Amino acid sequence: MSNKPGGKTNPLAAAERADRNRKILIQVGVAVVLVGLIAAIGIGIAVKNADKNDLGATPSIAAAVSQLPNGATATITDNGAVRIGKPDAKVTVRVVADLQCPACKAFEAANAQVLKDAVDNGTAIVEYNIISFLDKASTTKYSSRAANAAYCVAEADPSKYLGWLATMYQQQPAEGSAGLTDDQLITIAKGAGLPDSVGQCVKDNSYNKYIGAKTKDVLNSGVQSTPTVFVNGTQVNNQDLALSNGQFKPDAMAAVIAAAAAK
């Protein structure tokens, strides 16, 4: 085909056409690369978000062991707390704690029996929200490993949970130390009457991701220290529970629970 009469090709037109085609090809190539980059970025973000939102294994309490001998039931709440109590209890006490926290140990020593009695007599439901607030205070991430053990115990036999918790605080390691070993955690669990199956759960540290995520959620909710105690959703001022020397008053939670039950 000719661009001019006589069948001669116009070299200028041909050059312009070739240049136009080359530009089109370059634009198409650039568009393909951009689409590929956008897709890659999107996939990367999706993968990161999926990893961020991946809670790993999620603890749960099977129906077969959720009914406790005293008429209470045991579950694990959405925020990761082990919840123990009779369904019709008027008061819910939520204790946010770290098993390496000395103040948590002092709170438990002062109020453990009150909380147990409140569960047994149907006055209160108790939620223990164990987090890994103090992982940096040990050389082995003891807080996370102890929190993992808490879920192992709750899953295996929640009726033993409160007794196990008391022993854990009695044997609490010093901040800055390596913390208790997995074997020591297993020994404590077995001493509290838990089955041998708890041992593998402790060693596997199956709930590490879950604990990390729930700890972040709790801290992002406004909790700034442990122990933090809530009664029917309202935070209790630790000063109302403490003596002048900073120690917790023995059985101080009894009055708080009674007041909430009377409303």
Side-chain angles (χ1 to χ4, degrees), residues 197-216:
S197 59
V198 170
Q200 194 60 52
C201 179
V202 169
K203 288 184 176 180
D204 287 346
N205 202 20
S206 302
Y207 302 119
N208 186 55
K209 274 189 175 182
Y210 180 86
I211 291 161
K214 292 305 177 183
T215 296
K216 287 181 181 178

Side-chain angles (χ1 to χ4, degrees), residues 14-29:
E16 289 176 348
R17 186 165 57 253
D19 185 55
R20 185 168 60 252
N21 290 340
R22 185 166 53 252
K23 288 179 179 178
I24 291 172
L25 287 173
I26 291 172
Q27 289 171 349
V28 170

Side-chain angles (χ1 to χ4, degrees), residues 99 105 142 166-174 180 184 187-188:
L99 291 177
K105 176 181 179 178
Y142 173 72
T167 305
M168 284 290 289
Y169 278 124
Q170 289 167 8
Q171 298 191 37
Q172 184 185 74
L180 301 178
Q184 288 173 312
T187 297
I188 291 173

Side-chain angles (χ1 to χ4, degrees), residues 91-182:
V91 181
T92 297
V93 179
R94 176 183 168 217
V95 181
V96 181
D98 186 305
L99 291 177
Q100 195 172 2
C101 158
C104 297
K105 176 181 179 178
F107 172 83
E108 187 71 12
N111 294 287
Q113 190 60 50
V114 166
L115 297 179
K116 184 180 183 303
D117 290 345
V119 168
D120 289 342
N121 64 32
T123 304
I125 291 169
V126 177
E127 297 178 351
Y128 276 102
N129 212 166
I130 306 299
I131 63 174
S132 54
F133 185 67
L134 293 172
D135 255 349
K136 293 182 179 179
S138 79
T139 58
T140 63
K141 294 188 175 181
Y142 173 72
S143 291
S144 286
R145 293 189 298 107
N148 179 75
Y151 288 124
C152 296
V153 168
E155 283 189 319
D157 188 349
S159 70
K160 305 290 195 303
Y161 188 85
L162 297 180
W164 168 84
L165 191 67
T167 305
M168 284 290 289
Y169 278 124
Q170 289 167 8
Q171 298 191 37
Q172 184 185 74
E175 288 183 285
S177 69
L180 301 178
T181 65
D182 286 349

